[in-house]
Amino acid sequence: MIKVSVIYPNSSDASFDIEYYCNTHMPMVQGLLGDSIKSRHVDYGLGGGAPGDKAPYIAMGHLTFDSLESFQSAFTPHAEKIMSDIPNYTNIAPQIQISEIKL
């Protein structure tokens, strides 16, 4: 099983509409990628490692898939539509990491 993490770094000029992300963007992604998505989660940053520290990431979206191939075959036909929605909820360029789930 793999996890695709879309990570949005926090900064002083970062804007992020978490309601849009959770209620519009992620359901759109689920609708386009369908049953290939095994689970989806959204994290919203509250703080850093020490009291008063700003969260290093304002938000993270996580999607799990059976394999890298199942992700790629589901995502590729819809990549342009999914990526073009980003300006509707943030001014941040996301970072993407694909990981193999080990535990």
Side-chain angles (χ1 to χ4, degrees):
M1 179 142 318
I2 65 135
K3 176 171 61 173
V4 177
S5 298
V6 183
I7 306 165
Y8 299 87
N10 205 351
S11 69
S12 59
D13 64 340
S15 66
F16 197 92
D17 184 343
I18 192 65
E19 297 303 320
Y20 183 95
Y21 189 67
C22 289
N23 298 319
T24 303
H25 182 76
M26 290 298 274
M28 176 194 69
V29 172
Q30 179 73 61
L32 292 170
L33 277 56
D35 292 340
S36 65
I37 296 176
K38 301 307 172 192
S39 69
R40 62 187 171 119
H41 306 275
V42 173
D43 301 338
Y44 192 65
L46 297 178
D53 282 356
K54 184 191 302 190
Y57 301 99
I58 197 165
M60 297 180 221
H62 307 283
L63 304 171
T64 60
F65 297 85
D66 284 332
S67 66
L68 180 59
E69 295 76 21
S70 66
F71 161 67
Q72 290 171 333
S73 65
F75 179 78
T76 301
H78 306 290
E80 185 176 330
K81 182 172 185 171
I82 291 168
M83 300 305 283
S84 70
D85 192 46
I86 293 172
N88 291 323
Y89 60 89
T90 190
N91 63 346
I92 303 166
Q95 299 174 353
I96 298 170
Q97 178 167 311
I98 301 171
S99 305
E100 182 179 13
I101 298 171
K102 292 293 195 178
L103 182 64

